[in-house]
Amino acid sequence: MDLTLSESELAFQAETRAWLAAHVPAEPLASMDTAEGWAQHQAWERQLSDARWSVVSWPERYHGRDASLVEWVIFEEEYYRAGAPGRVGQNGIFLLAPILFDHGTPDQQDRFLPTMATGERIWAQCWSEPEAGSDLASLRSTARRDDERGGWLLNGQKTWSSRASYAHWGFGLFRSDPQAQRHAGLTYFLFPLDADGVTVRPIAQLDGEAGFAEVFFEDVFVPDADVLGGVGAGWDVAMSTAGNERGLSLRSPGRFCAAADRLVDLYRETPDGPDRDAAAQGVVDAWLGAQAYRLYTWGTVTRLAGGGDMGAAGSVNKVFWSELDIALHETALGLRGPAAEVGSTWLDGYTFSLSGPIYAGTNEVQRNIVAERILGLPREPRPSRGAPT
């Protein structure tokens, strides 16, 4: 692991820190799960893009800076340290964009990446389906060939679609060959959420806001030009997306280091008493956990820079940061005592953290991956085809 920054990386860090100090809004933006907050966050994305800070690791022709992986991690650390707003465009820039760079056609990259970088077009992730649980390969939404128009007709239902309530476009898997094996015959599609035949129904969360939505498809036409990665190649493309979600791109260590620092501040501000005493060990554990994740990430960066790949280690990351997030926020609520039930950024963070072990593939699935692919333990018994469940 190399923790020594070069002169150019230190200069990049200083420039990042100075820009954020001058431009991060003094007051928090409204929740991005409301119409008002959505507009505010889109405007922030535009401001980032105008200064070429929205997608630093992308090529300059797509509003990036051609930043290295090390510089990207530096930017993320500075971004969260500055208390900058959450990224409303994260589904696109952190999950879909890496796949577009790897599997997309030049035409798809030119059409989708620029508006993704500026925040003009926000993307929703449309993977989960009713009664499918965490088994993505069991999806039942279909894609039927339309040779006459040169494309596909999508039918079915997606649920728990992140950001779909206000987003402009979506991406998801559909079964294009019903005769193929479960993981084959799937195709990855990109589609506008205002297309004919698409119905978006927001899902109210515990706080009443709609961060998710159900999306219904009824003979929605998608041209061949919006198939990502080739017909029948959807599973491999989707696993690339999942790797990004579990690995470095979605939950950078800067997010948890900043939260751990705020937790230490909260501990220092809390008057002596039983709540403070009871939380002391949790504060220490949270801070150590955040730093451990940071160092682990830098180790991963060093490995990737040397030509390695993420592989199954992304599952270790996902389990660790999702459980760290819950523990950190539980400790904060303990420190707040009776005030924990009053609306606050800590309470918002806690309710969101509870979803961490579920999205991006449940932690139960990730533990199976770690056990089988990293530790070499025997595979968990699978029910035989046709057996009752």
Side-chain angles (χ1 to χ4, degrees):
M1 182 190 312
D2 186 0
L3 297 176
T4 304
L5 299 182
S6 67
E7 289 190 11
S8 64
E9 289 163 349
L10 288 170
F12 179 87
Q13 183 184 51
E15 183 184 0
T16 305
R17 187 172 298 180
W19 190 89
L20 290 168
H23 294 87
V24 168
E27 298 294 330
L29 305 183
S31 167
M32 68 178 76
D33 294 334
T34 65
E36 177 192 11
W38 183 271
Q40 291 176 355
H41 281 79
Q42 265 196 286
W44 170 246
E45 293 291 334
R46 181 73 209 190
Q47 190 175 358
L48 284 171
S49 176
D50 287 345
R52 292 192 303 115
W53 290 113
S54 65
V55 286
V56 295
S57 61
W58 291 14
E60 290 188 11
R61 68 181 184 279
Y62 295 136
H63 301 280
R65 290 174 174 248
D66 281 314
S68 67
L69 184 56
V70 170
E71 290 171 330
W72 177 79
V73 176
I74 290 172
F75 173 80
E76 289 290 305
E77 289 189 347
E78 295 300 324
Y79 190 88
Y80 284 102
R81 182 178 289 122
R87 304 295 302 274
V88 72
Q90 68 176 17
N91 284 332
I93 60 179
F94 294 150
L95 301 182
L96 178 58
I99 310 307
L100 279 169
F101 281 118
D102 287 345
H103 300 277
T105 64
D107 170 69
Q108 289 173 332
Q109 293 170 2
D110 290 343
R111 280 194 293 133
F112 296 129
L113 291 172
T115 53
M116 194 184 294
T118 61
E120 178 184 346
R121 180 180 290 165
I122 304 295
W123 290 76
Q125 184 186 48
C126 301
W127 276 13
S128 299
E129 295 193 0
E131 302 179 10
S134 297
D135 187 3
L136 179 61
S138 69
L139 63 85
R140 293 179 294 184
S141 293
T142 62
R144 189 174 73 252
R145 184 67 191 159
D146 184 339
D147 284 325
E148 184 175 343
R149 289 193 285 176
W152 299 80
L153 292 175
L154 306 185
N155 282 280
Q157 178 186 353
K158 303 290 183 179
T159 190
W160 305 116
S161 300
S162 306
R163 305 275 95 81
S165 298
Y166 299 102
H168 307 96
W169 275 63
F171 55 92
L173 282 179
F174 291 76
R175 190 164 296 284
S176 53
D177 182 356
Q179 305 304 318
Q181 294 291 318
R182 276 164 43 91
H183 296 88
L186 300 174
T187 299
Y188 203 116
F189 290 94
L190 312 174
F191 40 83
L193 291 174
D194 61 355
D196 290 342
V198 172
T199 300
V200 177
R201 183 183 299 167
I203 299 175
Q205 302 166 155
L206 285 173
D207 58 7
E209 298 174 355
F212 302 94
E214 297 175 287
V215 183
F216 300 85
F217 300 82
E218 187 174 358
D219 286 339
V220 177
F221 178 73
V222 176
D224 289 333
D226 292 341
V227 170
L228 179 56
V231 175
W235 182 258
D236 290 339
V237 177
M239 289 304 98
S240 299
T241 306
N244 287 312
E245 196 171 20
R246 297 165 192 160
L248 288 179
S249 64
L250 183 63
R251 295 289 177 256
S252 70
R255 172 193 177 102
F256 304 104
C257 290
D261 287 344
R262 289 197 298 117
L263 181 64
V264 172
D265 291 341
L266 178 64
Y267 177 81
R268 289 172 173 156
E269 297 163 0
T270 301
D272 287 335
D275 291 337
R276 193 172 192 268
D277 294 342
Q281 188 60 51
V283 173
V284 173
D285 289 345
W287 191 88
L288 288 175
Q291 292 300 318
Y293 181 49
R294 177 175 182 266
L295 293 175
Y296 181 82
T297 299
W298 278 109
T300 302
V301 168
T302 302
R303 188 174 75 252
L304 295 178
D309 57 33
M310 175 66 73
S315 295
V316 178
N317 273 6
K318 199 273 174 169
V319 171
F320 188 85
W321 60 247
S322 60
E323 295 186 349
L324 169 64
D325 205 23
I326 293 175
L328 189 154
H329 284 88
E330 284 181 339
T331 302
L333 296 184
L335 275 170
R336 286 175 55 79
E341 298 182 16
V342 180
S344 69
T345 55
W346 288 115
L347 185 58
D348 290 345
Y350 173 67
T351 54
F352 183 80
S353 74
L354 295 177
S355 64
I358 302 173
Y359 66 79
T362 67
N363 282 10
E364 288 76 11
V365 171
Q366 304 315 314
R367 285 192 166 88
N368 273 353
I369 293 173
V370 171
E372 296 171 5
R373 301 183 190 176
I374 296 179
L375 302 179
L377 298 177
R379 287 174 63 87
E380 185 180 47
R382 265 66 166 180
S384 59
R385 189 176 280 275
T389 59

